[in-house]
Amino acid sequence: MTRMKEERKAENITWHDGTITIEDRARRNGHYPAVLWFTGLSGSGKSTLARAVEEALFARGCQVYVLDGDNVRHGLNSNLGFSDADRAENIRRIGEVAKLFADAGMIVLTAFISPCRADRDRARRVIGDAFLEIHAACDLAVCEERDPKGLYARARRGEIAEFTGISAPYEAPEKPELSVNTGHRSLDECVEEITGLLASRNIFLDR
Ligand code: ADX
C-alpha cells in the first residue's frame, strides 16, 4: 500500500509487498489482526483494561500485545514530552508501530491518552479497517479521586505543566467503535464488552 508522498522525506524508495497474505496469517493465528485503540484520561483505566483484555485474548490462543504510553515513553518515544507537538509525534509513531503489528497479523492494544482527535483520526487512516477506537470513558472527578500515580494532585499544585484534563485539553471521541464506562462498570464487564466487539467484527476464525 502506498502512502501520501508529502509525509515522506526520503526519495527514491520503492514499496515491496510480501507474498504472505493477511488470510495466510489469519489461518495461522486463528484470528484477523486488529488495533484496539484505547483513549481516555490518565487514570481512566486504559492500561488496566488493555492488560485484562490481553490476558483474556492470550488465554484463547490469540497473538496479542499491548503498547502502553508510560512504557513506550521509556524507550521508542523517550525523546518526547507532553507539548502538543510531542504528543502528536508520540501518537503518530504509535499509529505506525500498531500498523506494523497489525500487518504482522497480531491483535494490538494501544493505551495512550491520545487526547487529540486529529491525531487519533490520522492513526485510523494509517491503520484502516483494523482500527477500533475504544473510549475509556471515566469522569475527570473519578480519575482525580483515584489518582493512582499522584499526578493529578501534583498538577493541581502547579508542579506538572500541561497535564491532560487539568491544564491541557482532552478531546473525547465523537464516534468510537465502543465506549466503556470504566468509572462504573467492573473490569470483567468491560473486558466482555471488548471481546464482544471483536466477535461482532468477525476477528476470530471458527476453530
Ligand atoms: S499522550 O497524551 O501523549 O497520549 P501518554 O499516554 O503517552 O500521553 O502518556 C500519559 C502518561 O504520562 C500518563 O498516564 C501519566 O502517567 C504521564 N504524564 C506525565 N506528564 C503528563 C502530562 N503533562 N499530561 C498527561 N500525562 C502525563
Side-chain angles (χ1 to χ4, degrees), residues 42-43 46 69-70 73 81-82 86-88 90-91 111-115 149 151 160-164 168:
S42 183
K46 299 180 299 296
D70 281 74
R73 281 176 174 279
F82 292 92
D86 279 8
R87 288 185 206 244
N90 185 35
I91 298 312
F112 294 77
I113 298 176
S114 40
K149 304 167 196 160
L151 297 178
I160 307 176
E162 300 181 287
F163 195 80
T164 308

Side-chain angles (χ1 to χ4, degrees), residues 31-36 98 102 105-109 127 130-132 198 203:
H31 59 79
Y32 284 99
V35 176
L36 300 183
M106 298 186 66
I107 298 174
V108 50
L109 295 79
I127 292 162
F131 184 95
L132 300 169
L198 290 175
I203 296 295

Side-chain angles (χ1 to χ4, degrees), residues 15-71:
W15 184 270
H16 290 280
D17 278 320
T19 54
I20 299 163
T21 66
I22 184 175
E23 298 290 338
D24 293 334
R25 293 184 200 276
R27 272 193 297 276
R28 168 76 56 91
N29 292 335
H31 59 79
Y32 284 99
V35 176
L36 300 183
W37 190 284
F38 291 87
T39 173
L41 294 167
S42 183
S44 62
K46 299 180 299 296
S47 300
T48 306
L49 190 48
R51 292 292 174 197
V53 173
E54 181 184 38
E55 284 170 23
L57 294 178
F58 188 82
R60 66 182 282 176
C62 298
Q63 295 287 349
V64 58
Y65 191 70
V66 173
L67 297 170
D68 179 84
D70 281 74
N71 292 1

